[in-house]
Amino acid sequence: MIATEAKTHWQTVYQTKPSTAVSWYRPHLELSLTMIEHALPDRAAAIIDIGGGQSTLVDDLLERNYSDVSVLDISRAAIEGTRARLGGVADRARWHVADITHEDLPTQRYDLWHDRAVFHFLTTAAGRAAYFRQLGQALRPRGNVIIATFAPEGPAKCSGLNVVRYDAKSLLTVFGNRFELIGSTTHVHETPFGTQQPFNYCHFTMR
């Protein structure tokens, strides 16, 4: 999927569906929060949430007094919806409407890169290479990556789009020698429709 098609797809999703009526909705990303707090107890550290959409992760990070939180999503509707939900608190975060494979992020800006279910939509080698260029530029040395993808037994599609499914070993292979795997866990997400989706969560650091 080329960038303009991806932008149109996700803009349509967030313009036509309530945030609670998409398969990836959770009231709180408990596992992500636990992993972030374990990896990065310093509340002044810089965090970016890739594909944050209308997730409540930013709400919960701000509530926990993380003071340098950025959210990036390809859909302007998603970002605007999240900002409206936060109200005046939204000004405490930084916002990027962008395709992660094309946006130029600041060099060595972030201590932690969080991605719940963006990477698995990158089904081409070129898309993944662009993602890693951004990650390698934006993350500080020894920075943390917390990434969640569909596990091997998870669905082959999401929102009508093909995905690539990973376990910890295959994800480490794709990430390459520049990254060290700190830990991984599986998590079964229950959708608002009562179905179950197995996810693989991994914590990497960049060498």
Side-chain angles (χ1 to χ4, degrees), residues 101-202:
T101 63
H102 290 79
E103 177 75 349
D104 286 328
L105 294 172
T107 300
Q108 294 187 3
R109 168 73 175 82
Y110 304 104
D111 297 291
L112 188 144
W113 174 289
H114 175 266
D115 172 355
R116 178 180 180 254
V118 171
F119 186 75
H120 66 201
F121 283 109
L122 302 179
T123 59
T124 67
R128 291 188 290 270
Y131 181 100
F132 285 125
R133 281 196 298 273
Q134 299 282 38
L135 173 57
Q137 172 180 302
L139 198 65
R140 291 172 180 161
R142 301 305 300 174
N144 297 273
V145 180
I146 293 174
I147 184 166
T149 67
F150 282 143
E153 62 273 24
K157 288 192 172 187
C158 179
S159 191
L161 304 178
N162 292 327
V163 301
V164 181
R165 295 168 289 184
Y166 299 93
D167 58 16
K169 182 178 180 181
S170 59
L171 194 59
L172 178 59
T173 298
V174 173
F175 265 62
N177 293 332
R178 192 176 181 186
F179 294 87
E180 178 183 355
L181 179 63
I182 302 302
S184 66
T185 188
T186 56
H187 171 75
V188 178
H189 165 62
E190 185 167 332
T191 73
F193 324 116
T195 57
Q196 293 187 330
Q197 298 178 336
F199 274 79
N200 172 50
Y201 275 75
C202 287

Side-chain angles (χ1 to χ4, degrees), residues 37 58 72:
E37 289 189 303
V58 61
L72 180 148

